[in-house]
Amino acid sequence: MSVPGVIIDASNVAATRQRPWPFARVVDVRDAWLREHPGAGALAVVDASVRPVLGDRHLVEQAERAQWLEVHQGDADDRILALAEQFDAAIVSSDNFRYARREHPWLQGNDSRVWSVRRIRGRILFSPRQLGVATEEEIERDWQRKRTKAGLLGRDAEERFRCTSDAEACRRGGEVLLPRQVNKDGARWYCRSCGYEAVEIVAEPALPDGPVAGPVQVGVQHGHIFRHIVAVPAEGGLTLGRASRSRPGVTDVTAGLDRDEAAEISRTHLRIFLDDDGMPLVEHVPEPHQNVTFLNPDTDGLGRPRTGRLATATPYALEDGDELHLGPGMVRLRISFGGDA
């Protein structure tokens, strides 16, 4: 295989609301990336704990034989970042990797290395992510959250194992096993139910979240003052700007601002809509007197955005916790998934 130009977070890409997760989604994303970047290589990485929940088993096995899918026994996110650094490669993932900003400082404020993927009417769309600059408090909070979610074992915890068989071959395939559920032969362990090898778990990676389970919500702020929340309709999406009687389809984000501040927001400033999987995208709307929109920008001492400006009429993927700054940054929109604004 050629040197990878992109590392695909296979767990993230494959995840759907139903199980098994279709691995065909990963194959489609890989093929689409290679069409857009001819001559480049692509490598997908998946947690060993996720492999048993992948469908399209024949495609998984083909990818492993072709050596473009790596099944990682540890935390796949750490492996993805290490490979991206080693090969100076891009990453396809919805993760913001905030917890890893100390170890990988190149992630801070990056707007070219991490890409989201969306499906719009069956077409695969890649968009670069503006990661923003995380504070030390945010990095530490996400690091502690990741450790808790991963279920890292203490020294006094009981040993745990995972059957390497799949659920079709063993009723405990892919499940966590306790010592009484395995047999030991020399330095190896085997599942008592099926005889397949069992691997010891030092950390139990949590399954990634699937697509949005609840409504996508937009929290409207003026500076850091919260104003209100509005949900994004599944049909038609949401247009935001300066509302008036002549624009009944526009959701107003300027109520409470003075006239000069409100004038920095276009009448139809941007549109937020959902893709085929119910995941949100944003598009800055062109107008004759065009204002601007920024995604997760770095800001100056006065709170004005300096980075992350969106191109006009170009869809950008939005992830949970993303912030959009409109105009000079007084109006801010915070995206939340599943009804938790």
Side-chain angles (χ1 to χ4, degrees):
M1 190 187 78
S2 58
V3 173
V6 65
I7 313 299
I8 300 171
D9 185 344
S11 304
N12 193 274
V13 169
T16 62
R17 295 177 189 175
Q18 291 82 33
R19 294 190 186 178
W21 291 346
F23 187 72
R25 291 168 64 94
V26 181
V27 176
D28 290 344
V29 166
R30 173 183 180 268
D31 291 348
W33 183 276
L34 294 181
R35 284 195 298 271
E36 294 186 17
H37 302 83
L43 178 65
V45 179
V46 66
D47 292 287
S49 61
V50 173
R51 191 185 186 284
V53 304
L54 294 177
D56 305 314
R57 198 57 58 94
H58 65 291
L59 295 179
V60 176
E61 293 168 354
Q62 286 176 10
E64 289 178 309
R65 287 195 297 269
Q67 297 183 337
W68 66 262
L69 174 65
E70 177 181 318
V71 179
H72 189 61
Q73 293 296 332
D75 189 305
D77 286 349
D78 292 339
R79 179 61 174 164
I80 288 165
L81 291 172
L83 288 168
E85 184 158 311
Q86 178 182 350
F87 296 110
D88 195 27
I91 297 171
V92 173
S93 176
S94 64
D95 201 320
N96 59 32
F97 301 107
R98 194 180 287 119
Y99 78 94
R101 302 290 179 90
R102 296 190 188 107
E103 184 178 357
H104 301 280
W106 53 270
L107 289 165
Q108 286 280 55
N110 198 289
D111 62 356
S112 62
R113 292 280 293 278
V114 181
W115 294 69
S116 288
V117 62
R118 294 287 189 266
R119 291 167 176 81
I120 305 176
R121 294 182 292 278
R123 182 173 65 92
I124 291 176
L125 171 72
F126 297 102
S127 61
R129 298 191 57 202
Q130 173 64 40
L131 295 183
V133 177
T135 65
E136 282 297 314
E137 292 77 10
E138 290 172 331
I139 295 170
E140 181 63 25
R141 181 195 65 203
D142 277 26
W143 170 244
Q144 294 298 337
R145 183 181 299 164
K146 183 175 180 65
R147 286 178 61 86
T148 301
K149 189 174 180 181
L152 294 179
L153 300 180
R155 293 181 181 179
D156 59 346
E158 187 174 18
E159 291 178 305
R160 295 190 296 177
F161 305 85
R162 181 175 293 283
C163 175
T164 58
S165 174
D166 57 51
E168 297 173 0
C170 175
R171 65 187 179 91
R172 290 200 173 104
E175 293 185 2
V176 176
L177 307 177
L178 296 175
R180 63 180 179 274
Q181 296 170 313
V182 298
N183 290 320
K184 187 174 183 180
D185 184 4
R188 295 192 173 189
W189 294 270
Y190 297 89
C191 173
R192 287 189 175 182
S193 295
C194 66
Y196 272 73
E197 186 173 359
V199 294
E200 185 177 7
I201 298 171
V202 177
E204 173 66 6
L207 291 179
D209 297 327
V212 181
V216 175
Q217 296 186 330
V218 181
V220 179
Q221 298 177 187
H222 292 166
H224 294 290
I225 300 173
F226 174 80
R227 292 298 187 183
H228 62 275
I229 294 174
V230 59
V232 181
E235 297 294 330
L238 195 65
T239 299
L240 302 104
R242 293 199 324 267
S244 72
R245 292 179 182 177
S246 63
R247 296 184 293 276
V250 175
T251 298
D252 187 66
V253 295
T254 62
L257 297 178
D258 64 36
R259 179 174 295 184
D260 290 340
E261 291 173 330
E264 299 286 354
I265 308 303
S266 298
R267 290 167 295 181
T268 53
H269 198 105
L270 55 80
R271 187 169 72 98
I272 297 175
F273 59 101
L274 305 182
D275 72 357
D276 298 351
D277 295 318
M279 301 291 283
L281 298 101
V282 63
E283 194 172 71
H284 182 79
V285 178
E287 276 206 346
H289 304 289
Q290 179 180 308
N291 289 311
V292 291
T293 302
F294 302 86
L295 176 58
N296 295 330
D298 185 19
T299 56
D300 64 17
L302 298 177
R304 295 174 300 197
R306 298 187 299 187
T307 61
R309 179 172 176 173
L310 302 187
T312 300
T314 302
Y316 291 81
L318 293 173
E319 306 296 347
D320 193 25
D322 278 353
E323 271 198 3
L324 295 160
H325 291 213
L326 281 57
M330 172 59 71
V331 176
R332 302 180 182 184
L333 309 177
R334 186 171 182 84
I335 308 301
S336 61
F337 290 179
D340 182 17

